[in-house]
Amino acid sequence: MMRILCVCLLLLWGCKPEKVQEQAELPAAASAPATLEETVDSVANTRIDGTATTPSPRLDVKQQLPSELEVHLDRTHGLWQFPTLTDSDVQRIPQEEQGPYFLQADFNGDQQTDYAIQLVERDSAFVYAFVRQADDEWKEFLLEREQLYLIDGKKRSIRYLKLAKKTDKYYDYATRKRMTIPQDGISVGAENYVATYVWEKGKFRKFETGD
């Protein structure tokens, strides 16, 4: 009897550390899923933050105009400003291309930089070409005038500017023929409308080049 009692005591003593060890390990095992979940969330958040992209805002277009042209505009057009365009019209021009507010190129072939700008004055949007003269003054040409439209609570222009490159080919809807232009021109676009202005004999000639 005494022998059996000793054996039972030895068995109980041998089992006790395992039970203590199991109890010590249980909290760690229970907390493992929470730790894993937090790690997954952290990784997911990092990936979302790392891959989220937003379109780069366009530079302040007014700051890209030469100072002498800004002075001319301030003198001749008072409190001029660029128009508010619809989002779809802004997106028609890739970031790497000129427009939609203004263009710069040699429009008359005299090796000097000229400009085409869309301005808001009163309740209308105007498209002007400014051709640099020999004395560094500007000769102004009014190409188009269009009213502003109330869109999404704001008065907006539905016109946008795009450089008409002399290396491209165009379709003249008046003659229904393909055409090229001698130097870079000015394309004024809107939904279902594109007009291209090309320098010819001292002024700009208008071609209907798109719809």
Side-chain angles (χ1 to χ4, degrees):
M1 182 72 178
M2 194 66 165
R3 184 176 179 181
I4 294 173
L5 181 60
C6 290
V7 171
C8 290
L9 288 173
L10 287 173
L11 290 173
L12 287 172
W13 182 259
C15 294
K16 189 175 180 180
E18 292 182 6
K19 189 173 183 180
V20 172
Q21 185 177 0
E22 288 175 4
Q23 291 176 348
E25 291 176 352
L26 278 176
S31 63
T35 304
L36 180 60
E37 185 177 352
E38 291 173 1
T39 303
V40 171
D41 287 344
S42 175
V43 172
N45 288 339
T46 301
R47 289 185 62 193
I48 292 172
D49 292 342
T51 57
T53 58
T54 54
S56 300
R58 290 184 183 273
L59 298 175
D60 182 354
V61 291
K62 190 171 182 179
Q63 296 304 316
Q64 299 177 40
L65 292 176
S67 58
E68 62 269 24
L69 182 54
E70 285 196 36
V71 170
H72 175 81
L73 290 171
D74 292 340
R75 186 177 70 248
T76 58
H77 292 272
L79 300 176
W80 65 276
Q81 59 183 333
F82 287 107
T84 300
L85 304 183
T86 64
D87 292 340
S88 59
D89 285 339
V90 171
Q91 293 168 4
R92 292 177 193 272
I93 309 299
Q95 286 279 1
E96 66 274 10
E97 294 188 14
Q98 293 192 44
Y101 304 97
F102 77 91
L103 309 170
Q104 62 181 48
D106 178 12
F107 295 134
N108 63 348
D110 66 354
Q111 308 303 314
Q112 297 195 80
T113 301
D114 308 309
Y115 287 83
I117 307 175
Q118 183 176 190
L119 304 178
V120 170
E121 297 179 275
R122 299 177 297 279
D123 61 348
S124 300
F126 297 80
V127 177
Y128 293 100
F130 295 91
V131 177
R132 191 188 294 269
Q133 304 298 291
D135 56 1
D136 282 338
E137 290 295 323
W138 303 93
K139 188 171 183 180
E140 181 178 307
F141 297 83
L142 174 61
L143 304 182
E144 293 195 8
R145 175 181 179 176
E146 181 71 19
Q147 71 180 79
L148 299 177
Y149 294 86
L150 188 63
I151 303 174
D152 295 333
K154 291 185 178 181
K155 287 188 175 181
R156 302 174 185 263
S157 169
I158 62 171
R159 294 287 196 268
Y160 61 91
L161 302 185
K162 182 178 181 180
L163 184 65
K165 300 176 183 178
K166 62 183 179 181
T167 55
D168 294 341
K169 290 187 177 182
Y170 301 88
Y171 184 80
D172 181 5
Y173 276 79
T175 62
R176 297 187 179 183
K177 294 181 179 179
R178 295 285 177 181
M179 57 175 281
T180 57
I181 55 180
Q183 58 271 328
D184 292 338
I186 304 160
S187 284
V188 182
E191 188 174 357
N192 301 321
Y193 170 86
V194 178
T196 298
Y197 293 85
V198 180
W199 185 262
E200 185 178 286
K201 297 179 180 179
K203 59 183 180 180
F204 287 93
R205 180 180 175 185
K206 180 180 178 179
F207 295 90
E208 297 285 347
T209 55
D211 57 16

